[in-house]
Amino acid sequence: MIRLIIFAILVLALGYGFSWLADRPGDLSLVWEGQLYRTRLIVAAAILIALIAAVMIVWWFIRLIWTSPHSVTRYFRARKRDRGYQALSTGLIAAGAGNALLARKMAARTRGLIRADQEPLINLLEAQAALIEGKHDEARQKFELMANDPETRELGLRGLYLEAKRLGAHEAARQYAEKAADQAPYLPWAAQATLEYRSQAGRWDDAIKLLDQQKAAHVVDKTTANRQRAVLLAARADDRLESDPAGARDDALAALKLVADFVPAALVAAKALFREDKVRKAASMLEQVWKSHPHPEIGRAYVRARSGDSVTDRLKRAERLETIRPNNVEALLLTAKAALDATDFGKARAKAEAAARIDAREGAFLLLADIEEAETGDQGRMRHWMAQALRAPRDPAWVADGFVSEKWLPLSPVTGRLDAFEWKAPFDQVEGPVEEGSVLSIDAALKSLPPVREAPSATMADAPSSPKVASPATNAYVMELEPTAAKPAPSASAASPQPAQREPELRPFFGGAPDDPGVKNMKLEPESKTRLRLF
């Protein structure tokens, strides 16, 4: 486009010059070797321009003839190079498609048309073909050649890193990733891998420094960088909690500034403040986090803020959290547990049932079973609630890559991924069509709840036991009661004399069959004893 504009400007200038000369006629005289040559000025200008053009054409022709051997050689070299690049492109496509045979064929053709020192992608093609064929040693050699070449150093380091990860050589993989991150911090894979390796080693300061470099190089966006920085600060605060509570507090509060509802940072900050006797500040901070994220660990930390509080005071603190987030499952369960500790069974039962109506999960039914055990001690009702808990979904927990942890961790123990843990329900139940009646309902569970069994009175318990005859309609067994030392067993016949009371003989048990009645001892079981039978 620029050349076209320049050409148009030159043509316009030339035309304008000829028109200017035509408007101003004149003669040009030249005396050469005694001869006088006279012509018009415009004709002389045209002859001069034609002469310049002829000289240029002659010079171009002479230059063309002089450089023709080099031009011919360059033409054939370019044609050969184009064929080589075409073969290289075909080979890379074949390697990406998994066609090892065609990739090898195109690699050999490319190497015959293009030298490897001129085109380093030939090593990449051969390495990919070797990986497809399972020749990992040959592939590693090619990646090492690429790692030594400045043009393909990053590509070779990535290939060596992936091969080390495949073999489980984590130390070698860490070295390749750190080398790539030092030379090119803008590489996302190298920076992320180095960040995870430094976090696994507990080098939180180096990890935070690397994350700042990634953020400055725009490798990660601002939101992701703030989240990962909060995770690293919370992890460092957790490590420093025992040795440096003040430093742990500062790190945790800095993490909360980046992510306002980050529960692990809030818990570490609360523990550090509790150790500094700043209970009110810790409680205020926990309340702020509870408003945005009602987490059960936040609730437990808030309720047990003061170690010397009574169960009634803890119940009041739980109720305060419930007023902040009313009709919330975690708040209701927290109040129910505090009421159970305070032996306020009515409130505990009401809150637990309300929580189960919102979310019928395992923890709510287990809490109802604990309430039954503490209040009534009825085994039947306890088994009923525990059976409901077995059918209910599990409570949320810290889950990362299928691993369930009792507490939050900065890294996944399965993959080593940073910030992998999430607070959610574990996936341990088989998904499938919901059968009729399989959906849990607290109202249905209350309807099917067995009534409370009345406990036997003290007088009935102290009264002497007598043989009981079960009715055939009840399908019960007859229990034969042995006489006690205090009172002899009553006889079926009043006229028959009572046998003399003697001390029972201790007989060792030698492991006979449990269903073997053994040989009847007439001395220990006299014939005068009456047996009551159903049949």
Side-chain angles (χ1 to χ4, degrees), residues 141-158:
Q141 293 177 1
K142 297 298 181 181
F143 285 132
E144 289 176 357
L145 291 176
M146 287 188 284
N148 295 328
D149 191 347
E151 295 183 359
T152 58
R153 180 180 292 113
E154 300 170 4
L155 182 58
L157 289 175
R158 176 166 173 78

Side-chain angles (χ1 to χ4, degrees), residues 92 183 356 417 502:
L92 289 175
Q183 296 179 357
R417 183 164 53 95
R502 64 178 65 182

Side-chain angles (χ1 to χ4, degrees), residues 490-498 528-530:
S491 175
S493 175
S496 58
Q498 296 277 347
S528 60
K529 184 175 180 179
T530 303

